[in-house]
Amino acid sequence: MGRRTLKEKQSMRGLMQDWPLLCNRMIDHAAAIHGEREVVTRSVEGPIHRTNYREIRARALKVAQRLERDGIKLGDRVATLGWNTWRHLESWYGIMGIGAICHTVNPRLFPDQIAWIINHAEDRIVMVDLTFVPLLEALAAKLPTVERYIIYTDKAHMPETKLKNAVSYEEWIGTVDGDFAWKIFDENTAAAMCYTSGTTGDPKGVLYSHRSNVLHALMANNGDALGTKSKDTMLPVVPLFHANSWGIAFSAPSMGTKLVLPGPKLDGASVYELLSTEKVTNTAGVPTVWLMLLQYMDANKLTLPDLKVVVCGGSAMPRSMIKAFDDMGVEVRHAWGMTEMSPLGTVGALQPQYANLKGEPKVDVMAMQGFPPFMVEMKITDDANKDLPWDGTTFGRLKVRGPAVTGAYYRLNEKVLDDNGFFDTGDVATIDKYGYLRITDRSKDVIKSGGEWISSIDLENLAVGHPKVAEAAVIGVAHPKWDERPLLIVQLKQGQTATREEILKFMEGRIAKWWMPDDVQFVDEIPHTATGKIKKTDLRVKFKDYALPTAAA
Ligand code: AMP
């Protein structure tokens, strides 16, 4: 055999073009191919505002040009505190278009946390909606890195404010002509950041890259995922400041899907009005917003004939909600994900073996969180990192890997991947043989009773099925014999009364006997985090000294 030259031994490279996957290419595509497609907003000032992708791109270029004039460079952080509006959307593309990092801040966090996050990110500019100007005025003295504040409004609506170098967004971009070209840089450059609002400890910064955002958009556009088309209309109720807006700020423009943005009004009546008047076909949000919508529709006997698909995630979707949409002829896509995953992990489209199911068996499948699209790998393991079977019943720690999954946190020297590159989600789940995921708990919320695990989410979902129950939370309480036992905490619907026995009776026979809560406590209000999740840490404090009736036995 002849000797191979060094050149021959090297792997042969493909001969395709080098075309970095940059976020701006998505708005370029939208403007070029779907330029007339509308972006409709309920503005913070009040009126409905209409624009299109061509305009959004043109104004995003002005944002980029003006940022550069203000001295913002590759890698600098620019924060936004804004509702879903056209201005917020175009500023995302403008910031990312010069290689600066768009840092979405969740205005619902505690003010001290907001200050901590802005300081940790060292944001140089903050773009902010009128609603949150007072919030920032109260914090401004604690934000030394911020050089100027840009208020998402026009001159006429500009408030009196002492915020440093404050200017209205319209005046600010009005000083440039938009004759500007996006910068070109490596696709692994950071594009955006979003801090996870952990219930304990300091928030952690997740840093998305241009490449991860583009690949995630393709993932979201998968027909079994969000899958909107150019003829569809998407209303993301999920805010741009939650978990990368579930990727919709990229996936919708890249498909030319018409966008309807709800601005500051997320109540049932306002969301219904937009869904109905704009003939929205696809929408996405957390269960709380769908609860408000369904209650409003029910009370006013309303329908939504154009609505085809509701994506619901962020926390588990109750069965009653799945049924309500299914009865309306709306396809439910129950999704699971997290900020660290850009955020899509799984989406609950019906695979062919489930397609013809009806009634309760269909709800059983839709109550699972769906299966991963291509580019998300997952596994469940025990505490020793040993793989567990995909049998739909064994539950273990859920771990994930993929090009849009975080590999580290911003400026945190902490190893977050296992030896095979998998990220531990902190969730506990089962996976069935078709890859359908069922989240049974957060690993810190799972109740460990006699060496076995009880899913707090399953118990909560069951309890909210009781007609008098508005919301339910289950926490583990110390037990001398079993280690921990479940305590069910219930918030009743307004005007309702119920007894402990009544609630327990409803649950009996629907779960294994040893899963039955040992007691029920009624509270006026179940506490929530800034992203709408039940705040179990507060409940654990509240019930710290609580003794289960079964503990004495
Ligand atoms: P966040 O990063 O704030 O979006 O929170 C992510 C966490 O929310 C996940 O790790 C889950 O614990 C929870 N979560 C998201 N979607 C669901 C869902 N469909 N069902 C149950 N929990 C969910």
Side-chain angles (χ1 to χ4, degrees):
M1 245 199 335
R3 287 176 56 193
R4 296 186 345 166
T5 64
L6 182 64
K7 210 164 171 197
E8 281 166 344
K9 277 188 204 155
Q10 282 170 349
S11 61
M12 197 180 290
R13 289 183 64 82
L15 291 174
M16 293 298 111
Q17 297 178 9
D18 187 13
W19 194 84
L21 301 177
L22 300 179
C23 293
N24 298 88
R25 299 197 191 277
M26 295 187 273
I27 201 69
D28 286 350
H29 176 77
I33 310 301
H34 310 284
E36 303 288 308
R37 201 80 69 241
E38 277 188 305
V39 176
V40 181
T41 305
R42 184 192 297 284
S43 68
V44 178
E45 294 87 349
I48 297 293
H49 174 274
R50 311 186 94 85
T51 181
N52 62 33
Y53 284 129
R54 187 168 302 132
E55 273 296 301
I56 295 268
R57 175 178 180 273
R59 283 162 54 92
L61 278 164
K62 287 188 170 189
V63 172
Q65 189 179 16
R66 183 60 229 236
L67 280 172
E68 200 173 60
R69 187 184 287 183
D70 282 1
I72 299 297
K73 295 189 223 41
L74 188 84
D76 284 346
R77 274 79 66 202
V78 175
T80 69
L81 269 88
W83 299 110
N84 290 5
T85 69
W86 81 100
R87 289 189 181 114
H88 193 178
L89 181 69
E90 61 201 23
S91 62
W92 273 38
Y93 282 101
I95 296 165
M96 297 178 202
I98 56 167
I101 299 167
C102 177
H103 173 201
T104 50
V105 179
N106 181 349
R108 294 184 185 140
L109 295 173
F110 291 118
D112 278 352
Q113 249 180 336
I114 293 179
W116 189 95
I117 286 172
I118 290 177
N119 285 326
H120 191 262
E122 297 175 302
D123 295 322
R124 289 185 60 191
I125 288 187
V126 177
M127 300 196 185
V128 54
D129 260 328
L130 287 167
T131 325
F132 310 119
V133 168
L135 174 77
L136 285 182
E137 283 172 338
L139 290 179
K142 295 186 204 161
L143 307 175
T145 64
V146 180
E147 295 158 29
R148 96 171 303 176
Y149 293 84
I150 294 154
I151 323 289
Y152 283 129
T153 191
D154 54 16
K155 192 172 178 199
H157 293 89
M158 191 60 185
E160 278 281 326
T161 176
K162 292 210 169 58
L163 285 175
K164 208 190 293 174
N165 295 321
V167 59
S168 80
Y169 177 89
E170 295 297 338
E171 285 175 283
W172 180 69
I173 59 170
T175 57
V176 290
D177 59 10
D179 185 10
F180 191 76
W182 306 125
K183 303 284 174 211
I184 302 287
F185 32 80
D186 183 85
E187 65 183 21
N188 287 301
T189 304
M193 72 197 305
C194 186
Y195 281 75
T196 58
S197 53
T199 44
T200 53
D202 287 330
K204 294 174 177 177
V206 176
L207 204 52
Y208 308 112
S209 66
H210 281 263
R211 173 187 153 85
S212 71
N213 273 341
V214 172
L215 292 177
H216 184 271
L218 299 182
M219 225 164 82
N221 287 332
N222 171 330
D224 277 344
L226 269 55
T228 58
K229 305 185 185 68
S230 59
K231 65 175 187 194
D232 293 327
T233 300
M234 161 63 94
L235 188 156
V237 190
V238 52
L240 287 162
F241 56 76
H242 262 191
N244 202 21
S245 74
W246 298 3
I248 296 169
F250 303 114
S251 60
S254 72
M255 291 304 291
T257 303
K258 172 179 164 181
L259 269 177
V260 180
L261 304 173
K265 295 206 168 151
L266 307 182
D267 59 284
S270 305
V271 170
Y272 175 81
E273 189 196 24
L274 281 182
L275 288 171
S276 168
T277 55
E278 295 300 325
K279 300 192 180 338
V280 170
T281 55
N282 297 63
T283 184
V286 295
T288 330
V289 301
W290 305 135
L291 198 65
M292 293 191 289
L293 174 73
L294 288 169
Q295 278 171 357
Y296 176 78
M297 289 178 67
D298 190 42
N300 296 282
K301 307 269 164 292
L302 298 168
T303 58
L304 284 169
D306 298 296
L307 189 61
K308 287 188 308 194
V309 179
V310 169
V311 183
C312 180
S315 23
M317 194 178 185
R319 293 178 73 93
S320 48
M321 188 177 287
I322 294 173
K323 263 195 217 146
F325 281 117
D326 197 44
D327 289 348
M328 284 163 55
V330 174
E331 185 182 340
V332 167
R333 298 251 171 117
H334 189 179
W336 164 85
M338 61 196 311
T339 307
E340 286 89 334
M341 300 181 71
S342 301
L344 289 183
T346 56
V347 189
L350 290 179
Q351 291 181 9
Q353 73 277 7
Y354 292 142
N356 296 321
L357 290 178
K358 300 243 169 333
E360 290 300 316
K362 183 176 178 188
V363 178
D364 288 343
V365 173
M366 293 197 294
M368 294 194 282
Q369 278 80 357
F371 60 96
F374 170 59
M375 287 192 277
V376 176
E377 285 180 70
M378 59 183 192
K379 64 177 180 182
I380 42 174
T381 72
D382 63 14
D383 284 339
N385 202 18
K386 194 169 109 348
D387 282 8
L388 294 172
W390 291 21
D391 58 13
T393 54
T394 308
F395 41 108
R397 289 169 166 277
L398 176 60
K399 297 181 183 171
V400 291
R401 192 164 72 169
V405 177
T406 200
Y409 290 106
Y410 179 59
R411 285 174 47 196
L412 208 67
N413 216 355
E414 179 187 299
K415 186 171 179 277
V416 300
L417 306 184
D418 72 11
D419 292 345
N420 299 315
F422 277 82
F423 172 81
D424 189 335
T425 63
D427 285 327
V428 176
T430 66
I431 305 177
D432 79 4
K433 62 179 175 180
Y434 302 111
Y436 276 77
L437 182 77
R438 194 169 64 85
I439 298 289
T440 53
D441 243 314
R442 290 293 294 164
S443 51
K444 57 188 184 307
D445 294 338
V446 73
I447 295 151
K448 295 186 172 157
S449 172
E452 299 286 344
W453 290 4
I454 298 175
S455 154
S456 66
I457 293 185
D458 279 3
L459 295 181
E460 287 157 9
N461 283 345
L462 180 57
V464 291
H466 189 291
K468 291 182 179 174
V469 174
E471 200 166 10
V474 173
I475 56 170
V477 174
H479 189 282
K481 180 168 175 200
W482 300 109
D483 195 19
E484 270 186 351
R485 290 293 303 157
L487 167 67
L488 171 62
I489 299 158
V490 166
Q491 178 186 331
L492 291 171
K493 286 185 184 158
Q494 229 165 12
Q496 295 288 356
T497 53
T499 61
R500 163 191 191 279
E501 286 68 30
E502 200 176 334
I503 306 289
L504 290 178
K505 183 118 199 33
F506 172 81
M507 299 176 77
E508 242 168 50
R510 300 177 192 219
I511 38 166
K513 230 177 168 158
W514 64 276
W515 278 41
M516 282 293 288
D518 282 27
D519 201 9
V520 183
Q521 288 284 305
F522 294 93
V523 293
D524 292 338
E525 198 177 345
I526 290 195
H528 288 97
T529 66
T531 50
K533 297 183 170 58
I534 296 177
K535 208 168 178 189
K536 294 207 175 167
T537 42
D538 279 13
L539 291 172
R540 284 196 192 98
V541 171
K542 186 179 166 94
F543 290 97
K544 182 168 54 79
D545 299 322
Y546 172 80
L548 286 167
T550 50

